[in-house]
Amino acid sequence: MGAGWRLLGLVIMGLCGVALAGADSRAAMVGAAAGSATVLVLFAVGRGFEGRRALPLALGTIVLLLGGGVFAATKLADEGKAGQRFEGLLNPLSDYSVQDRLNKWKTVLDDVDELPFGHGLGASGIAEEKYARFTSAATFDPDSAYVKVAYDQGAMVMLLFIAALIALAAGLGQRAIRAPDARSGTLALAACGTLVSFSAAIGAGLYFEGLVAAAPWLIVGLGLASYVRATSAIGRVEG
């Protein structure tokens, strides 16, 4: 990857940061921070990036520090309602929105105790809002993809869903570290960072329903494609 593409990537990252700040979504900012940290760590230790990592790491760190500085100067320094919202990130358990979500999750999950396989697919979320005839514990939005999975399909399926996300992220991270060249390493690195960011964000919102979920899964699929293709080719040769 040439210097021009790296510079373009940093510019895009900065523009996305501006859009994210303008959206005032706290969950998305937490997810972006987690994904960015994951990408920097994997890039720092990835075998395929040896000998060419110093400048990108420095630039990436500078962009993140600048983004953090702008965030602190604009959001945290705001004395109005917006500033109070983002100050809640520093002490989340005392934030009203977090407390409201915790109470909502408890109400929704209490309705699952006697249903090991949940209320059925579509019992909450977009389908429930559109087609439900009666109110339920999930009528007012579960505000978490994990709680939605538990309500629809049971606590066991929710745990399996979380385990699958962890396993997928770990597999992509391992491939990013062990990739012999920068091209395949970059795909796995981007996919892993995207998955970590997405997994964090959906903890506080139903972002995995509808078209909003298409982009992250597309990136994850691109990151996995080269490894799936290579495994299939090896299987045919051995067969």
Side-chain angles (χ1 to χ4, degrees):
M1 183 180 293
W5 285 107
R6 293 176 182 171
L7 180 61
L8 177 62
L10 288 172
V11 171
I12 293 173
M13 181 179 175
L15 293 175
C16 288
V18 172
L20 186 61
D24 273 353
S25 174
R26 295 183 297 177
M29 286 186 177
V30 172
S36 299
T38 300
V39 168
L40 282 178
V41 170
L42 293 177
F43 184 79
V45 299
R47 188 174 67 181
F49 306 107
E50 291 179 355
R52 62 182 76 184
R53 71 181 73 192
L55 180 60
L57 268 179
L59 292 176
T61 302
I62 290 172
V63 169
L64 288 179
L65 290 176
L66 286 175
V70 171
F71 170 74
T74 56
K75 301 296 184 183
L76 296 182
D78 190 345
E79 296 181 358
K81 185 177 180 181
Q84 294 176 356
R85 284 185 69 248
F86 283 94
E87 285 177 3
L89 291 174
L90 304 178
N91 191 11
L93 292 181
S94 64
D95 183 74
Y96 172 79
S97 177
V98 174
Q99 291 294 333
D100 184 54
R101 276 184 166 84
L102 291 175
N103 291 332
K104 183 183 295 187
W105 295 342
K106 183 179 185 302
T107 301
V108 174
L109 293 176
D110 284 345
D111 203 26
V112 186
D113 287 344
E114 297 180 2
L115 297 170
F117 298 105
H119 291 260
L121 291 174
S124 62
I126 294 176
E128 192 274 341
E129 292 177 5
K130 188 173 182 179
Y131 299 110
R133 299 175 58 191
F134 308 102
T135 59
S136 67
T139 296
F140 303 103
D141 186 358
D143 261 336
S144 171
Y146 303 110
V147 174
K148 171 182 167 53
V149 172
Y151 186 83
D152 289 4
Q153 302 172 71
M156 182 60 68
V157 175
M158 179 193 69
L159 294 176
L160 290 174
F161 176 61
I162 294 173
L165 290 176
I166 293 173
L168 183 56
L172 286 168
Q174 182 185 35
R175 285 166 172 79
I177 293 173
R178 300 176 62 182
D181 58 272
R183 179 181 178 83
S184 57
T186 299
L187 290 173
L189 181 150
C192 185
T194 299
L195 184 60
V196 169
S197 179
F198 185 59
S199 299
I202 63 176
L206 296 182
Y207 303 121
F208 77 155
E209 290 189 304
L211 291 176
V212 69
W217 287 121
L218 175 62
I219 296 172
V220 171
L222 290 173
L224 287 170
S226 59
Y227 300 101
V228 173
R229 193 164 56 243
T231 302
S232 299
I234 292 173
R236 286 197 299 271
V237 171
E238 290 179 350

